[in-house]
Amino acid sequence: MQVKEQNPINHFRQIYNELYPKLMVHACKFVNEKAAEDIVHDVFITYWEQHQLIMSSKLSAFLFRATQNSCLNYLKHQKVVENYQEQWQLAIDRCEYYNQKIESNTMLFATEKELNYKMLEEAIKLLPPRNAEALNLFYFEGKSQKDIANQMNVSLRTVQSHLAQAISKLRKTLKHVGVWITLMLNYISL
């Protein structure tokens, strides 16, 4: 390449026109064409910004080395980006998995709880009518034992007896159901 004394813009155009195709071929050995275009353009921008510091006798070698180094840096950066994307996707997948698991467990718990309530309702229906009435008034309607005694026209001691019998029968009827009902019945008996 022969360099004549000329103004910097004309000199740059001459270098660009002569070396751009060669630098593109060199860059395409490392990266795809789109990345190669960006890299070669960046190399020429760097050259333009520092053209006074670069010896014109070594310009071709400088541009080829700069292109090669930029390609290698690009590949390293792509590896970091790919690794980051993999880690990010893994984190997203984990979150989705745990959210599905939590949602599934919540639905399962809600279904189990609903089933337990239905079983409790059915077991209460099997109680003697006065036991069931006292239990419903006390635990589900929140009435006091004194109010229940007045409503049922019985003594306070009879209400307490009905409640104790109801709890005892429910425990026997629902003992196979599991911990949840047992805990609930323990709470009721407090």
Side-chain angles (χ1 to χ4, degrees), residues 41-57:
H41 282 276
D42 288 346
V43 166
F44 274 109
I45 289 170
T46 301
Y47 165 63
W48 176 252
E49 291 170 349
Q50 299 177 3
H51 71 276
Q52 293 174 336
L53 303 174
I54 301 168
M55 295 174 55
S56 61
S57 63

Side-chain angles (χ1 to χ4, degrees), residues 1 32 42 57 65 75 79 82-83 89 110 119 138 156 161 166 178:
M1 170 175 30
N32 64 46
D42 288 346
S57 63
R65 177 62 71 175
L75 291 173
K79 187 69 176 168
E82 288 170 10
N83 189 31
Q89 188 60 48
M119 291 170 66
F138 186 72
L156 184 59
S161 176

Side-chain angles (χ1 to χ4, degrees), residues 92-103:
I92 288 171
D93 292 346
R94 283 183 181 153
C95 286
E96 287 176 1
Y97 171 77
Y98 287 117
N99 285 342
Q100 288 172 354
K101 195 145 181 93
I102 289 169
E103 191 175 297

Side-chain angles (χ1 to χ4, degrees), residues 123-145 147-154 158-159 162-163 165-166 170:
I124 290 172
K125 288 178 186 176
L126 297 175
L127 292 173
R130 300 293 271 178
N131 288 355
E133 182 182 1
L135 185 80
N136 282 322
L137 290 171
F138 186 72
Y139 291 108
F140 299 108
E141 292 184 24
K143 294 191 176 195
S144 71
Q145 291 180 7
D147 290 341
I148 296 169
N150 289 335
Q151 186 175 336
M152 292 177 71
N153 291 323
V154 294
T158 303
V159 170
H162 282 313
L163 289 172
Q165 289 172 8
L170 285 176

Side-chain angles (χ1 to χ4, degrees), residues 20-84:
Y20 179 81
K22 294 174 186 176
L23 292 175
M24 277 297 295
V25 169
H26 187 60
C28 284
K29 293 177 189 174
F30 301 96
V31 298
N32 64 46
E33 188 175 345
K34 174 70 176 117
E37 285 178 7
D38 291 342
I39 289 169
V40 172
H41 282 276
D42 288 346
V43 166
F44 274 109
I45 289 170
T46 301
Y47 165 63
W48 176 252
E49 291 170 349
Q50 299 177 3
H51 71 276
Q52 293 174 336
L53 303 174
I54 301 168
M55 295 174 55
S56 61
S57 63
K58 298 184 180 187
L59 179 59
S60 180
F62 168 80
L63 293 175
F64 274 91
R65 177 62 71 175
T67 300
Q68 182 174 327
N69 288 342
S70 294
C71 288
L72 295 175
N73 288 339
Y74 173 83
L75 291 173
K76 285 179 191 174
H77 178 70
Q78 285 305 107
K79 187 69 176 168
V80 169
V81 167
E82 288 170 10
N83 189 31
Y84 175 76

